[in-house]
Amino acid sequence: RAGAALRIAARRADAAERLAGELASLVAAGSPPPVAVPWEALAAEADAADAIVNGTSVGLHAEDLPLPLSVRAGQLVLDFVYGDTALARAAREAGARLVSGERVLVRQGALAFALWTGRAAPEALMASAIAAPGRPS
């Protein structure tokens, strides 16, 4: 609703097209509609983007090939996958602003805690607990 131009790539073209269609009703009036782009265009689209969001399972397993894109300084990278993924490493190395899967998890947990208890969540404590060495996986 902020007027962002959304480009959606998925390994399956039909999934990208379906998501673009579902998001079309949410864009602000006068904003461009979301556009599904071929997976093969991901690198060029990511290079031109201000923000990259990985909502795929790429990076979930150690043997996964990295996403076929590069990251540059100044971009925002949101990786929903937990752990030290190739995308997270690339974002840190490039000087991009990284929002990791763990950070998303902490924020989701904090919101759920507040909804269920009516109290503010100890978000800083939650973030430190998830970052603690030796934490259970």
Side-chain angles (χ1 to χ4, degrees):
R1 295 184 183 190
L6 299 176
R7 301 289 181 262
I8 301 165
R11 290 169 283 188
R12 289 187 358 258
D14 63 313
E17 291 167 8
R18 186 173 54 254
L19 181 57
E22 290 172 3
L23 294 175
S25 66
L26 301 176
V27 299
S31 295
V35 174
V37 298
W39 184 253
E40 297 75 27
L42 178 61
E45 293 289 340
D47 188 53
D50 293 324
I52 299 170
V53 178
N54 177 26
T56 73
S57 61
V58 173
L60 192 59
H61 307 287
E63 66 274 7
D64 285 350
L65 294 174
L67 287 168
L69 58 83
S70 59
V71 178
R72 61 180 159 72
Q75 281 180 313
L76 171 66
V77 175
L78 170 56
D79 191 356
F80 280 98
V81 178
Y82 307 145
D84 189 33
T85 65
L87 180 59
R89 287 190 302 276
R92 284 192 301 274
E93 290 167 9
R97 294 173 295 157
L98 173 65
V99 178
S100 68
E102 289 84 358
R103 174 131 173 131
V104 172
L105 178 64
V106 166
R107 190 70 187 124
Q108 287 173 328
L111 291 169
F113 182 93
L115 285 170
W116 280 94
T117 67
R119 301 184 342 226
E123 200 165 336
L125 177 63
M126 295 165 71
S128 67
I130 202 167
R135 68 174 165 78
S137 52

